[in-house]
Amino acid sequence: MSTSKAFIANGKTIVVTPLETKLPTELKAQWLAALRSGEYTQGRGQLSLEVEGVMHHCCLGVLCNLQGRLVKIGSLAYDGTLVSASSLVLSTDNPVNFLMHFRARMDGAERTLADLNDRGASFAEIADIIEYAF
């Protein structure tokens, strides 16, 4: 049985239990390096969104970009409440789709990687969690 480990992200305790399914070693190393590199601007609510000429990515958007699976479809327009393409997620044919089944405990609730990203965990904090969990 996997051992859970506590992390602090955005000032909150996150309890993580590793998944049995692991990321391919090379892809995991690339993703961790990209998240820690400072080369990506962190965004929330979308895999990727261009704001005033700057691309913003969530942690999963960084992964999709590394895989060459991030494709801008149509216009991404913010209307003050939601983004028109907010349903974009890891596609079911993506070999790392199992990441969508990952759950961590934060504030008494289960959270996905996207939730952690959108609730203010930094890329570096998320990278530490990914390094342990996958």
Side-chain angles (χ1 to χ4, degrees):
M1 179 176 258
S2 298
T3 303
S4 296
K5 182 176 177 178
F7 291 84
I8 302 296
N10 194 29
K12 298 193 182 270
T13 301
I14 300 169
V15 178
V16 176
T17 302
L19 286 182
E20 289 185 23
T21 307
K22 300 298 180 189
L23 286 166
T25 304
E26 186 176 326
L27 180 60
K28 179 179 175 180
Q30 290 172 343
W31 192 17
L32 293 174
L35 289 172
R36 292 172 172 150
S37 71
E39 294 178 20
Y40 285 88
T41 300
Q42 190 168 8
R44 296 181 181 14
Q46 286 293 302
L47 288 178
S48 181
L49 180 66
E50 186 174 343
V51 178
E52 297 179 1
V54 177
M55 291 304 296
H56 292 73
H57 300 277
C58 85
C59 61
L60 295 172
V62 171
L63 176 63
C64 290
N65 189 56
L66 292 171
Q67 291 178 299
R69 288 178 166 261
L70 191 59
V71 178
K72 182 177 177 181
I73 301 173
S75 172
L76 300 176
Y78 183 68
D79 68 2
T81 58
L82 59 92
V83 179
S84 62
S86 61
S87 63
L88 292 175
V89 295
L90 287 178
S91 62
T92 56
D93 68 339
N94 190 319
V96 296
N97 182 267
F98 69 86
L99 293 170
M100 299 307 291
H101 302 288
F102 169 77
R103 300 289 185 271
R105 301 281 309 164
M106 181 176 90
D107 294 335
E110 289 189 340
R111 305 288 183 204
T112 64
L113 287 173
D115 290 334
L116 298 177
N117 183 91
D118 291 351
R119 292 176 179 275
S122 71
F123 277 167
E125 292 167 335
I126 293 169
D128 291 344
I129 290 167
I130 291 165
E131 190 166 38
Y132 177 74
F134 307 110

